[in-house]
Amino acid sequence: MSNANTSKSATLSSSNLLLSTTKISEQLGLSRNKINPILAELGLLDKVPNGWLATRLGLSFGAVQKHEEKNNKPYVLWPEEILNNQIFVAELRKTSQHEDVKPTSLESNASLGFREKFQAGEYRTTDGHWVRSKAELAIDNWLYMADIVHAYERKLPVEEEVFCDFYIPSGKVYIEYWGYEKEEYLSRKREKQRIYQKYEFN
């Protein structure tokens, strides 16, 4: 398992224009109530009782932490470049039920063959996920029975197209199960480990 609270991502270029959640929602044509949850899902924000705090990862994306003068309520401003950030845009597409972003690098090369060979759908978990192996079936069922909210094959919040086996939102924990010893799989494993180390997801 790896905790993403100390992770890094490519820093956005500096911008003189900082956007509030309202401004971002206006430019994207979405409800402003959707923006912060999306940013939180990506690990860029943390929800606190009276507002939102930028995470370390969010700060690396150019987030600027602010507080309202009257009540000290925390909020975050974002550089204009966030509107063109691939990670943010991809998550917006999924949330807005647009066409999914197609894999372009790691998942479409080293690991795509594995994903094609072991198509999700062979094993159905207690909570309705379709997983690729009996081991993943056991992991998913254990998480469900332990009342741990989780996602299966969630994309990492990085520019590369990399998917973790399981993701636990509370704590931002990523789980990988390494279950095969063939060279093709080991090559995929090494590449994913490199990505985890690059962004300090370990």
Side-chain angles (χ1 to χ4, degrees):
M1 294 187 182
S2 303
N3 193 300
N5 288 337
T6 59
S7 61
K8 293 181 180 178
S9 183
T11 304
L12 295 173
S13 59
S14 60
S15 172
N16 292 327
L17 180 61
L18 293 175
L19 303 177
S20 65
T21 299
T22 300
K23 289 295 183 181
I24 293 175
S25 65
E26 289 175 353
Q27 294 206 32
L28 296 175
L30 294 173
S31 167
R32 68 175 184 174
N33 294 328
K34 290 184 177 181
I35 303 301
N36 280 339
I38 291 173
L39 293 168
E41 175 68 15
L42 291 172
L44 307 181
L45 288 178
D46 278 334
K47 182 74 172 69
V48 293
N50 64 333
W52 297 89
L53 294 176
T55 63
R56 181 177 175 181
L57 182 60
L59 293 174
S60 76
F61 273 67
V64 177
Q65 186 68 58
K66 296 286 187 178
H67 292 80
E68 294 183 5
E69 293 184 5
K70 289 185 178 180
N71 53 20
N72 204 37
K73 180 179 179 180
Y75 66 97
V76 178
L77 297 179
W78 299 91
E80 190 176 23
E81 289 88 347
I82 192 71
L83 297 173
N84 297 316
N85 181 268
Q86 293 180 0
I87 302 169
F88 180 56
V89 171
E91 192 67 23
L92 281 173
R93 288 179 180 176
K94 289 190 294 182
T95 303
S96 302
Q97 297 182 340
H98 292 319
E99 182 178 353
D100 288 340
V101 178
K102 296 181 179 179
T104 57
S105 55
L106 177 62
E107 289 298 323
S108 61
N109 294 315
S111 64
L112 183 57
F114 175 86
R115 293 169 68 83
E116 289 176 339
K117 184 176 181 180
F118 298 96
Q119 286 292 326
E122 186 173 357
Y123 303 96
R124 186 170 186 176
T125 66
T126 303
D127 61 355
H129 290 139
W130 290 95
V131 298
R132 303 174 189 278
S133 68
K134 291 182 179 179
E136 290 183 340
L137 176 68
I139 293 170
D140 195 291
N141 285 343
W142 186 91
L143 292 170
Y144 176 74
M145 296 305 295
D147 291 328
I148 298 175
V149 176
H150 60 282
Y152 176 64
E153 290 201 337
R154 181 185 185 276
K155 185 183 181 303
L156 299 184
V158 298
E159 293 182 353
E160 293 89 344
E161 290 288 327
V162 185
F163 295 79
C164 63
D165 289 339
F166 297 93
Y167 172 67
I168 301 175
S170 60
K172 299 180 177 64
V173 175
Y174 297 86
I175 301 174
E176 292 289 347
Y177 171 73
W178 311 115
Y180 298 90
E181 297 298 327
K182 293 183 178 180
E183 181 54 36
E184 179 184 3
Y185 182 85
L186 293 176
S187 175
R188 172 179 176 267
K189 174 182 176 180
R190 288 191 293 269
E191 182 64 11
K192 291 186 78 173
Q193 288 176 325
R194 183 188 69 80
I195 297 296
Y196 274 93
Q197 292 173 359
K198 175 181 177 181
Y199 295 99
E200 297 186 6
F201 286 102
N202 58 348

